[in-house]
Amino acid sequence: MEGPKPDPQGYWRANLRLLAALLSVWFLVSFVLGILLVEPLNAVHLGGFPLGFWFAHQGSIYTFVVLIWVYARRADVLAKRYGVE
Amino acid sequence: MGIQDWTYVMVGLTFSIYIGIAVWSRARSTRGFYVAGRGVPALANGMATGADWMSAASFISMAGLISFMGYTGTIYLMGWTGGYVLLALLLAPYLRKFGKYTVPDFVGERYYSQAARIVAVFCAIFVSFTYVAGQMRGVGVVFSRFLEVPVEQGVLIGMALVFIYATLGGMRGITYTQVAQYVVLIIAYLIPAVAISYKITGNPIPQLGFGDQIASGEHAGRYLLEALDGIHRDLGFPEYTAAFVPGKKPMIDVLAITAALMIGTAGLPHVLIRFYTVKSARAARWSAMWALVFIAILYTTAPAVATFARVNMIETLHQTPYDEAPAWFKTWEETKLIAFDDKDGDGVIRYSGDATLNELTVDRDIMVLANPEIANLPAWVIALVAAGALAAALSTAAGLLLVISSAVSHDLFKSVVKPDLSEEGELWLARAAAGVAVVVAGILGIYPPGFVAQVVAFAFGLAASSFFPILVLGIFSRRTTKEGAIAGMVSGIGLTAAYIIYFKFIDTTAGADAYWFGISPEGIGTVGMLLNFAVTMAVSQVTAPPPEDVQRMVEEVRLPREA
């Protein structure tokens, strides 16, 4: 069966939107939660972890892994949808 | 068997495995030598990238540094992992789609300029050499401590081993040895971490354990981090989990250094080159994901190890009479990496945040290596840690040597000096270049110039301010011109290098007060990177657009399909 008609421009625009969304999350967990807001967040506790400290030493790294996983999956879907596999 | 016998067994065993793999997977073509024939599966490449990336610094030094820095250690934790997001989203799939063998290849073709290619070659060689010298030194230190041979001999043994598998196997050999080295190093890192976590908190998962309650002793039932903050207050140190208190780095500097390390990671040639070895752009994305999974296993364990080591060290040594200090204290004392200065002459070790009262100095580098001994783990675990440290140092050294070798044989000779070089001649030259690079790296490891350690840290700033912006713009903006890219690289790396050289080598007495906006030389790469972006974009606007075929190439690189 023929795939959809190749639409490189459409693929690229969709890819840029995806990147913007993922990079915003990347910036939020690392620079905002892990550094800029670390002191107010440290007033909150997650078990024995002050929350800001936890983001800086643990949470941000887990989020990075998830971000790349989401990207690798979504990029596969986009390539199929726009016929550029 | 004692620690030393066990170390011989572990090191001998792992080294035989590496050599066996190298012989089995030796390269027969330049394609095999530079990019492992482009047939490496995403999962294996992810594992190899993990070993390639995690060096002696990650394995030996990082947890120790964090142990002394507390919260601020996040600059390494986020800085050396966050870059993989940039790599996976902005660079890896496109560089793979472009094909060819090296990063200077991309720079040379995208910017239709031999000058740009040559600038990129020299940046790649410079960054890689400073880095590799540090690895060889790490090999020497491990050998001298655990096998009691002099550092120089340790470096020679390491050199011989890398020489065998890098010149014989090329990228193919390196890739599969790195897979084995990853397995060795991660097991060596996790076993002591799990054992210590269980011992202190009763929770075997270190990532959870350091946020758990202490199982026994005077602080039983208190949260570990809360108890550690308390100990720090009592001894006059800033609290472990506190962020920007006096005695720690200010917020602006933490932001700048974290960004410089992230962006530098995404611009390092030996990491980028790994994504040329997989079969497609799609595989490049997945292999970046696997790489970060494998790296994250160590990087989320490291802050736990740092916390346990800090508590253990203080509890074992503070207020202990020197004569009753444990055996490991004496062995490390001989290496001069730990020292006791009895200021009040009472024979009791006092650890304090106040320099005039403090009697104990501990080198940050020994925390991971000494940790199993401090926690009284069996001899085979200690030997395993030594083998793991060697795996981390050797795998990174091999990856770096390959970048140097391909930069010389492919980017300089084949592309610039002698384009009619035969495939066989190029392969031979690549082996010879790798061989020479091993020897030079070994000499730098034996006679480290005083500035190597500092330069390694700055390699990130230099990579961030030179490569990253022009690679990203080369893919995401068709309008970027060669004039823009060259001006951007020169101004970015120029500013960064000038700032570092000024504060580290010229006016070494100028302290933090003289820093621009409080940004230290470690973080200035972020400013250089922003300058590079601005200059490249501005100059590109006022110069003639790139030729048609280059613009078409950029459009093609953006698509995952095979042309």
Side-chain angles (χ1 to χ4, degrees), chain A residues 15 34 48 56 58 76 84-85, chain B residues 71 74 94 211 282 286 300 561:
Chain A
N15 183 47
Q58 295 278 305
D76 285 352
V84 293
E85 281 176 275
Chain B
Y71 163 77
T74 189
Y94 311 109
R282 178 173 184 272
W286 281 105
T300 53
R561 70 176 172 212

Side-chain angles (χ1 to χ4, degrees), chain B residues 211-222:
Chain B
D212 217 326
Q213 291 157 345
I214 298 174
S216 60
E218 64 168 308
H219 297 294
R222 284 180 75 190

Side-chain angles (χ1 to χ4, degrees), chain B residues 376-441:
Chain B
N376 270 321
L377 298 182
W380 66 269
V381 176
I382 298 163
L384 186 63
V385 171
L390 289 172
L394 291 171
S395 56
T396 305
L400 290 161
L401 289 167
L402 196 93
V403 168
I404 297 170
S405 141
S406 61
V408 172
S409 62
H410 183 75
D411 297 321
L412 276 186
F413 269 85
K414 177 77 177 174
S415 305
V416 180
V417 181
K418 200 170 182 304
D420 59 343
L421 191 65
S422 72
E423 158 99 13
E424 214 169 298
E426 191 185 340
L427 183 59
W428 200 88
L429 185 66
R431 290 206 161 107
V436 173
V438 172
V439 174
V440 175

Side-chain angles (χ1 to χ4, degrees), chain B residues 15 18-19 22-23 26 33 132 136 139 154-171 173-174 177 181 393-395 397-399 401-402 405 428-442:
Chain B
F15 278 26
Y18 306 154
I19 291 176
V23 172
R26 66 192 175 277
F33 195 91
V132 82
M136 296 314 277
V139 171
V155 173
L156 287 176
I157 299 170
M159 269 170 66
L161 186 72
V162 176
F163 185 84
I164 293 173
Y165 68 74
T167 58
L168 188 68
M171 187 56 121
I174 287 174
T177 13
Q181 283 161 335
L394 291 171
S395 56
L401 289 167
L402 196 93
S405 141
W428 200 88
L429 185 66
R431 290 206 161 107
V436 173
V438 172
V439 174
V440 175

Side-chain angles (χ1 to χ4, degrees), chain B residues 120 184 351:
Chain B
V184 172
Y351 190 49

